[in-house]
Amino acid sequence: MKFSALSPGAAPGLRRLACGIGFGACAALAAQAQPTVAVQVHKNDGAIVVDVRAEVAAPVSVVWSVLTDYDHMSSILSDIKASVVKSRDGNHLQVAQTADTQVGFLHFSASSLREVDLVPMREIRSHLISGDFQSFDGTTRITEHDGQTTIVNHSEYVPKAWLPPMIGPSVIQSETTAQYRELLAEVLRRRGAVESSPETAKPAASGRL
């Protein structure tokens, strides 16, 4: 069973100057650069309820590109073995995924077909069509402030298969945290690619001939 689902924009010279002032300033910049993930999991009448809040120093456009890259999600998340957009009608998608995960000596595999509605750069809503769950509904919202993007996800799902007692909220919390850390690692990789591209390095036109 699958369990889910540096000061931004600062110029390199300014970073070096801040680090040159003292170790404390450098450490503060490093701490600010680290993405954060907080996950809460509980059970409610047979449903597993997951709430996630993650923050990363990256533009919302980069975060959005990762969260909605369903055709390449298997190369982003290690427990997603297959992911493909089966149909697309504007901002309405059908996404099929297969996931494998292992907890101790237990191995779980699950497949799902979900309908996904996108509100570009703001919200992702997912609803189960078919698969190894009785139900699944999730909403992800993203906001950006001063170059820091916040991801807030709320999802509720009911597995079809019986879960052994060892697969409790703490295990699901750990698995979900690992997933989001992989997502944020890809966000930072793409942010670096954008910042180092020749297009972003070009100076703005002055308007003078």
Side-chain angles (χ1 to χ4, degrees), residues 35-163:
T36 61
V37 180
V39 179
Q40 294 183 336
V41 180
H42 70 275
K43 293 184 178 180
N44 182 24
D45 293 333
I48 297 170
V49 182
V50 181
D51 287 287
V52 181
R53 182 183 178 90
E55 295 186 354
V56 60
V60 69
S61 58
V62 176
V63 175
W64 181 263
S65 75
V66 172
L67 295 181
T68 59
D69 193 2
Y70 298 108
D71 282 328
H72 299 98
M73 198 60 68
S74 60
S75 65
I76 299 172
L77 297 178
S78 57
D79 59 354
I80 298 292
K81 303 308 176 186
S83 181
V84 62
V85 176
K86 303 291 287 185
S87 68
R88 184 188 298 268
D89 181 10
N91 290 318
H92 182 78
L93 289 65
Q94 287 192 2
V95 178
Q97 291 184 334
T98 301
D100 284 317
T101 191
Q102 187 163 342
V103 179
F105 295 104
L106 299 177
H107 177 264
F108 300 90
S109 179
S111 297
S112 67
L113 177 64
R114 292 175 294 134
E115 59 180 5
V116 178
D117 289 302
L118 307 177
V119 181
M121 307 294 170
R122 292 173 49 195
E123 187 173 289
I124 304 167
R125 295 188 294 267
S126 299
H127 176 75
L128 181 72
I129 298 175
S130 62
D132 294 322
F133 300 90
Q134 293 183 31
S135 64
F136 178 94
D137 287 282
T139 301
T140 300
R141 295 183 174 92
I142 60 176
T143 56
E144 182 181 5
H145 181 69
D146 290 338
Q148 188 86 0
T149 296
T150 300
I151 307 167
V152 176
N153 171 269
H154 175 84
S155 59
E156 299 186 17
Y157 61 92
V158 179
K160 281 184 178 179
W162 172 80
L163 294 179

Side-chain angles (χ1 to χ4, degrees), residues 5 11 17 21 29 32 34 43 62 64 74 82 138 141 146 155 161 166 171 174 188-189 199:
L17 176 60
I21 294 172
L29 283 174
Q32 188 179 9
Q34 296 302 312
K43 293 184 178 180
V62 176
W64 181 263
S74 60
R141 295 183 174 92
D146 290 338
S155 59
M166 67 177 293
V171 172
S174 177
L188 293 178
R189 187 192 71 79
E199 289 300 317

